[in-house]
Amino acid sequence: MDQDEKTDIKDNADGNTFRRHGRRLFDGARGRAHAGYSMASARLRDRPRIEQAALIGLWSLAAGLMAFFVYLLVLIPLTPGIEDLHQVRNAQPSIILSSDGKPLGSFEKGLQERVKLSQVSPHVVKALISTEDHRFYDHHGVDFTRIGGALLANLKGDPQGGSTITQQLARNMFPQEIGRARSINRKMKELITAIKIENTYSKTEILEAYLNTVPFLYNAYGIEMAARTYFGKSAARLDVLESATLVGMLKGTHYYNPVTSPERSKLRRNVVLRQMSRHGAFSEERYRALAKRPLRVRFARLNDRSGKDDHFTAHVRKWLQDWAEENDYDLQLDGLVAHTTLDLELQEAARRAVERQADTLQAIADVEWASSAMPRSTSAGMYTSMRSSVNPFAYYWASRARTLDAFVRESAEYRRAVEDGEAPAAALKRLKGDRKFMAELKAAKSRLEAGFVAMDPLTGEVRAWIGSRSFERDQFDHVAQAARQPGSTFKPIVYAAALERGISPEQTYRDVVQDIQLGGGRVWRPTDMSGNSGRMMSLRDGLVYSKNTITAQVMQEVGVNPVVRLAQGMGIRQSQLSAVPSLALGTSPVTLLEMVSTYSTIAAQGEYRKPIFVRRITDREGKVIADFAPGAPERALSQASAQNLIDMLRGVVNRGTGGGVRYRFGVHGDVAGKTGTTQNNTDGWFILMHPNLVAGAWVGFNDNRVTMRSSYWGQGGHNALLLVGDFMRSAIDSGKLDPNALLPGGRPPAPRPVQQPEEEYEELPGELEFEDAGHDEAVEVPDPEPIEDDEDLPAEPVQQAIPLPPPPPPPPATGDEGVF
C-alpha cells in the first residue's frame, strides 16, 4: 500500500469521524431542543388555558420583536448616514439643452432663498406645528403615539398619515435613498433617518431646514419664495391667513393650489386655522372670524435665478415637471438631461427679428396715437424719426377717458383698495392722481406685443419660439397661451375643405354681397370694405385676395361642421371652435402654435405631426430613458388637396397681401403663406411656409381695446409680416435654409426686382350687416367682438345656412378684373 492510499484511508477515517461527531452534536442539540420543548409543554400543561394563551402570546411577541430588531440592524446601514446629511447639497440638477447641445437652462433650485427661522413669520411656525406635528417638541424624530393613532384610523377606513416634520424632512432630503413607494420598508428608512436627523440637529435647525426646502409649485422652493410667489411679500410679513394657506398646500401642492383651485385651497386653509385654534394659537371666536375671510392671493410667477429662461424654456420646464411627476423623477436631484429641438441660430434670428420689427411697430403706434392729426406714411423710418419728439399715445388717452377709467378699475391696486374697505369712487380718484401708478398702467396697456414660432413641417420639431418682446417684462406666452382671433389666416382651412369636396381651384363665384340665412329669420351679409366688383372670381383668387364674399359662399357650399373637423385634424386641437358660418373668417380664438402647426400640415402634403419640443431625455450617465421621436403622421388632408392649396397660397405671396416678403425682404425662394387682420386692426397675423420650415407671427396689444390706429399698419401684411420676413431673410442668408428648396409641386420662381409695387393690395376689415328677413327694418344686435379682417359676426350659435341661388351670368372679364 503506497503513501497516497494510506493518506486517502486516513482522510476517509477522519471524515467519517467528523461526520459521526457532527451527527452526535446535532442529535444532542435536537435532544436539548426537544427536551426544552417538552419542558415548556409540560409547564404549559400544568397551567390554566388563559395563562397558556398569554404565555404563547408573550413568547411570540418576543420573537417578533427580536426579528424586528434584527431587521432594523440590517436596515440602518442602508439609510443615509450623518455625512450624507451634510452632503445632500451635492445633488445634481437636471438641465435643458438645445438641439446642438448648448445649455438653455437648469433645474437647480433657483427659486430658493434660505432664511433663518427668525426671518419667518411666527404664524407659519404655529400653523405648521399645529397641523403637521403638534408634538414636535416632545418627540425625537418619531411620534409613536401618532403612528399608533394613524394605524387605528387606517384600520377603520379613515386613512391618516403618521409622519412627523422630521420624517417629512428626511423624505424631502433623500427621496432616492428612502424611496417613494408605499411600503413598510420605506417607512422604516424614513423613521431611522429622522432619528439620525434629530440626533444631529436642533429643533430650530430642523424647522429651518424643512421650511427652506419644501416645494410650493411654480419652481418655488422654501417658505420665502412661496411668500413672494403667492402673496408678493417676504416670509417675515405673512399674516395668519396667508401662513395657513401656504401650510395647507403641504398636504398636496397641486390639489390645494390657491391659484388654480381657490375654493379647495380656502377649505384646506380653514382646516389649518381650526388646528391652530385647537392647539391654542387663538380663540374659537377668532377662528370663526378668520374662516370667513377670502384668500386674497397675489400670485406672480418669479423669474428663474439663472436669468436664462425665456418662453421656450419656461414651456419646456412646465412640461418636464409634469412628465417627471408622472414618471417618478426629481428634476432638482436626478441630473436628467432634456434634449430639445430648439435651433439656437434660428432662435437668435427670431429674437433679433421680433426685437427689431416690434420696436419699429411700437414707434409707429406711439406716433399715430400721439395727436388727433395722424400722419400717414408707408415708410417706417418716418415714424421712428418722429418718435422722440411726440408724447406717445397722448391722443388715445385724451380721447378715451372711459377706457382709461376701466383700466384703473381692473388693476390689482384698485381691487385691493376696495377689498380693504376704500370707497370705489375714492379709490379711482386716488389712483388716477398717482402719477407713478398711471404712468406704469399706461405704459403697460400701450406696449405692443408679439409672438413668433417656427417648426419643421416634416417632423413637427419646434426650431424657434419667441413668446413676447421681453420675457423679463411679459412672461405671458403669445405662442402657446394667448388665444386670439386668427382672421384670414383661418381661410385656407375653408378652401382646403372645398378642395377635399372636389371643388376645383378654378371654380368661380360672384364677388357680390349675398344674404346668408342664419335660421330664425336672421340674415348675415359679409362684405369687403375694399368693395365688391360684381364679377366672377375663381376659388383661387378668392383666397389670394382674401375676399370675404367668396369665402362666405365657399363655407355655405362646404358646410360648417366639415370645416371644424378639418381644422381639428390639421392642428387646432386645444382651442374650441364655434360651429358658425362666421368661423370661415377666423372669429374663433386660437393660439399661434396651433395655426403654425396647421400650416405645417399643409406644407407636409396633408400629414399632421404633433409639435415636438423635447426630443429625448437621458440620465446623468447619458442613457436614454425617454424618446419622443416623431410617430407616424396622421393624414388630415389628401395629398392632392394639399398641393393645390399650397399653389393657391403661393399666389398670396406672389401677387396678394403677402407680397412684402419679396419686395421688402428679398425672399425669392419657393414660399407660400397667408396674412390675417382682425376687426379694428386688433390682431395682425402672417404665416409663411418654406419647404424646410413654417414660421408664423402675431402682433397686437395684450388688451384688445388698444389697437393700431391706421388701417395700413394695422394689417397683418404690414406688421406681422415684418417679423416673419426679417427672420426668413436671416435664416436663408445664414445658410440655415436652402433658398432653392421647393414645396410640393413647386418650380423655381423667376427672379423678380426687389422693389415695392406702385399699388399694393391691402387686406382691410370688412363690415357686417344683420337683418330680420321678415321685416324691412334692421334688427338691433349687440356690438360684435373684434373679428377677422373683413367683418363682424353674430355671437350666438348659427344653424347650417341655406344654399344660395346661382348668380346671374357674368359680364366678359378682362385680365386684371376680380382683384377688388
Side-chain angles (χ1 to χ4, degrees):
M1 180 180 298
D2 59 21
Q3 185 63 35
D4 290 340
E5 290 175 335
K6 291 179 180 178
T7 300
D8 290 341
I9 293 172
K10 185 177 184 301
D11 288 344
N12 288 334
D14 291 343
N16 292 332
T17 302
F18 178 78
R19 283 191 291 274
R20 287 194 298 272
H21 181 66
R23 188 177 297 110
R24 285 197 298 271
L25 289 174
F26 176 76
D27 290 342
R30 184 174 61 179
R32 286 192 294 274
H34 180 72
Y37 175 76
S38 299
M39 292 175 62
S41 299
R43 290 180 180 179
L44 285 175
R45 283 196 300 270
D46 296 337
R47 297 176 181 274
R49 298 186 67 85
I50 294 179
E51 291 187 19
Q52 291 180 18
L55 286 172
I56 292 174
L58 288 173
W59 291 341
S60 299
L61 178 62
L65 289 174
M66 180 62 69
F68 183 70
F69 179 72
V70 173
Y71 165 70
L72 288 180
L73 290 177
V74 172
L75 203 60
I76 287 174
L78 302 179
T79 58
I82 300 301
E83 65 279 3
D84 296 319
L85 301 178
H86 301 300
Q87 295 177 358
V88 70
R89 67 181 60 188
N90 294 333
Q92 184 176 336
S94 301
I95 60 175
I96 303 171
L97 300 180
S98 65
S99 60
D100 56 351
K102 303 289 179 59
L104 298 176
S106 69
F107 281 87
E108 58 184 327
K109 295 184 179 180
L111 294 182
Q112 181 182 29
E113 183 175 322
R114 300 188 69 87
V115 293
K116 297 290 185 182
L117 195 63
S118 59
Q119 296 172 289
V120 178
S121 168
H123 296 302
V124 173
V125 177
K126 291 177 182 177
L128 177 65
I129 293 176
S130 297
T131 307
E132 297 294 323
D133 188 0
H134 68 272
R135 278 188 289 270
F136 174 72
Y137 290 105
D138 299 326
H139 61 67
H140 297 284
V142 182
D143 187 347
F144 292 102
T145 302
R146 186 176 181 185
I147 290 175
L151 288 173
L152 290 175
N154 288 329
L155 291 174
K156 295 177 181 179
D158 180 20
Q160 291 185 11
S163 296
T164 63
I165 290 175
T166 315
Q167 287 175 272
Q168 294 178 43
L169 176 61
R171 193 162 59 239
N172 291 341
M173 291 176 69
F174 302 102
Q176 286 184 312
E177 293 84 347
I178 293 176
R180 301 176 177 88
R182 290 181 174 272
S183 65
I184 185 65
N185 201 50
R186 192 267 292 175
K187 291 299 295 183
M188 296 314 302
K189 286 183 179 181
E190 182 184 291
L191 181 148
I192 293 169
T193 306
I195 293 174
K196 291 180 180 180
I197 291 174
E198 288 273 350
N199 290 330
T200 307
Y201 299 109
S202 68
K203 291 289 186 178
T204 297
E205 289 172 325
I206 291 170
L207 282 175
E208 195 172 281
Y210 180 87
L211 288 171
N212 278 310
T213 57
V214 67
F216 282 97
L217 297 180
Y218 304 108
N219 205 28
Y221 285 80
I223 192 65
E224 179 68 18
M225 289 297 103
R228 296 185 193 178
T229 299
Y230 293 96
F231 297 104
K233 60 175 64 173
S234 67
R237 295 178 54 229
L238 290 171
D239 63 26
V240 64
L241 291 172
E242 294 161 345
S243 300
T245 300
L246 294 179
V247 169
M249 289 181 68
L250 300 179
K251 186 176 178 65
T253 51
H254 287 88
Y255 192 77
Y256 296 107
N257 183 350
V259 177
T260 59
S261 305
E263 291 302 320
R264 194 182 294 154
S265 177
K266 182 180 178 182
L267 290 174
R268 177 60 186 167
R269 181 206 68 183
N270 289 348
V271 171
V272 175
L273 293 173
R274 165 64 72 182
Q275 290 298 104
M276 295 176 71
S277 173
R278 286 177 177 173
H279 295 289
F282 41 74
S283 66
E284 176 70 18
E285 183 180 358
R286 174 69 171 156
Y287 158 71
R288 288 195 296 268
L290 290 172
K292 297 176 183 178
R293 300 286 294 276
L295 281 179
R296 292 189 180 179
V297 172
R298 295 173 177 85
F299 173 76
R301 184 190 285 270
L302 302 179
N303 291 339
D304 184 78
R305 186 183 65 182
S306 67
K308 295 180 179 179
D309 258 357
D310 56 20
H311 289 91
F312 177 77
T313 54
H315 187 81
V316 171
R317 281 181 189 278
K318 183 179 183 304
W319 183 88
L320 281 172
Q321 286 164 352
D322 292 340
W323 177 88
E325 187 172 327
E326 292 175 3
N327 293 274
D328 204 23
Y329 284 99
D330 190 315
L331 295 173
Q332 281 73 36
L333 302 175
D334 291 347
L336 304 182
V337 180
H339 302 262
T340 72
T341 63
L342 194 79
D343 186 303
L344 270 187
E345 287 187 51
L346 292 177
Q347 177 75 350
E348 180 59 21
R351 186 196 63 77
R352 289 195 305 267
V354 170
E355 181 179 304
R356 185 161 46 217
Q357 301 301 333
D359 285 352
T360 298
L361 292 167
Q362 181 73 65
I364 293 170
D366 288 345
V367 172
E368 284 189 339
W369 283 114
S371 65
S372 58
M374 181 179 68
R376 298 179 183 275
S377 175
T378 60
S379 169
M382 188 203 76
Y383 293 93
T384 54
S385 64
M386 294 177 61
R387 170 65 180 77
S388 60
S389 61
V390 302
N391 183 3
F393 275 79
Y395 175 69
Y396 181 91
W397 301 120
S399 61
R400 288 164 172 76
R402 290 185 179 180
T403 301
L404 184 57
D405 285 353
F407 289 160
V408 174
R409 291 190 183 96
E410 293 163 8
S411 68
E413 289 81 356
Y414 176 86
R415 290 197 300 270
R416 280 199 295 269
V418 173
E419 285 177 0
D420 291 338
E422 188 173 0
L428 179 65
K429 182 178 180 180
R430 177 178 60 79
L431 289 172
K432 289 183 69 176
D434 186 333
R435 291 185 178 182
K436 184 175 183 293
F437 167 79
M438 292 302 294
E440 291 176 351
L441 177 67
K442 290 179 179 179
K445 290 294 183 179
S446 61
R447 179 175 170 81
L448 185 80
E449 271 305 339
F452 177 95
V453 67
M455 60 190 295
D456 186 335
L458 301 181
T459 63
E461 295 180 346
V462 173
R463 299 302 186 195
W465 180 313
I466 306 295
S468 74
R469 291 172 63 188
S470 168
F471 181 76
E472 288 72 27
R473 290 191 61 168
D474 189 352
Q475 295 183 23
F476 184 64
D477 189 354
H478 296 88
V479 171
Q481 287 181 292
R484 304 293 288 245
Q485 293 177 330
S488 285
T489 53
F490 189 88
K491 288 179 180 176
I493 302 173
V494 180
Y495 287 83
L499 294 171
E500 287 288 85
R501 190 166 175 175
I503 299 174
S504 167
E506 310 312 321
Q507 179 167 320
T508 58
Y509 299 82
R510 186 171 294 282
D511 179 20
V512 294
V513 178
Q514 298 190 14
D515 292 352
I516 296 178
Q517 304 297 325
L518 302 180
R522 301 290 300 281
V523 177
W524 172 42
R525 291 196 183 100
T527 66
D528 293 286
M529 190 173 288
S530 56
N532 306 103
S533 66
R535 302 189 179 107
M536 300 302 291
M537 180 178 285
S538 68
L539 186 78
R540 179 188 303 276
D541 284 348
L543 180 58
V544 168
Y545 300 116
S546 200
K547 298 294 291 185
N548 290 341
T549 53
I550 305 301
T551 306
Q553 293 176 58
V554 174
M555 175 66 102
Q556 281 288 97
E557 189 169 351
V558 172
V560 175
N561 291 329
V563 172
V564 171
R565 288 194 296 269
L566 183 59
Q568 293 167 340
M570 292 173 68
I572 302 177
R573 301 200 167 191
Q574 292 183 337
S575 300
Q576 297 297 314
L577 298 175
S578 299
V580 295
S582 61
L583 175 66
L585 308 181
T587 56
S588 280
V590 295
T591 66
L592 178 59
L593 182 61
E594 287 176 307
M595 289 306 298
V596 171
S597 177
T598 297
Y599 278 65
S600 293
T601 299
I602 299 171
Q605 302 189 69
E607 292 184 337
Y608 168 79
R609 291 171 175 83
K610 182 180 179 181
I612 296 174
F613 40 88
V614 175
R615 182 62 180 76
R616 66 185 180 279
I617 299 174
T618 58
D619 62 18
R620 65 181 72 191
E621 282 79 34
K623 179 182 177 183
V624 177
I625 57 177
D627 194 304
F628 306 99
E634 301 174 27
R635 173 62 64 183
L637 184 67
S638 70
Q639 186 174 350
S641 295
Q643 291 188 5
N644 275 326
L645 186 58
I646 290 171
D647 193 49
M648 294 164 69
L649 291 171
R650 282 191 184 97
V652 175
V653 175
N654 293 337
R655 56 194 179 92
T657 58
V661 168
R662 299 211 187 277
Y663 71 75
R664 287 183 186 270
F665 298 98
V667 177
H668 293 309
D670 185 23
V671 293
K674 186 71 184 74
T675 57
T677 311
T678 64
Q679 191 74 16
N680 300 324
N681 307 315
T682 303
D683 306 280
W685 295 72
F686 183 64
I687 304 175
L688 189 67
M689 296 181 291
H690 178 277
N692 308 125
L693 201 68
V694 175
W698 165 87
V699 169
F701 295 84
N702 281 337
D703 193 309
N704 62 15
R705 287 167 289 186
V706 184
T707 68
M708 298 296 284
R709 187 177 180 186
S710 68
S711 294
Y712 182 86
W713 292 108
Q715 295 175 48
H718 298 146
N719 52 47
L721 181 144
L722 302 183
L723 281 63
V724 177
D726 191 333
F727 166 83
M728 196 63 71
R729 178 178 60 189
S730 297
I732 293 174
D733 290 348
S734 66
K736 296 297 292 186
L737 294 180
D738 181 2
N740 300 313
L742 299 176
L743 287 163
R747 297 189 302 271
R752 293 173 177 266
V754 183
Q755 60 184 20
Q756 184 170 350
E758 292 183 6
E759 289 191 18
E760 184 180 357
Y761 185 84
E762 295 187 359
E763 179 180 51
L764 298 173
E767 293 181 341
L768 172 63
E769 294 180 15
F770 288 106
E771 281 192 5
D772 188 326
H775 300 83
D776 292 332
E777 54 185 287
V779 177
E780 276 191 36
V781 294
D783 290 336
E785 293 292 325
I787 61 150
E788 101 88 66
D789 41 311
D790 292 39
E791 58 267 285
D792 300 12
L793 300 138
E796 60 199 43
V798 181
Q799 302 297 320
Q800 179 81 24
I802 302 171
L804 298 173
T814 59
D816 293 329
E817 291 173 336
V819 176
F820 294 101

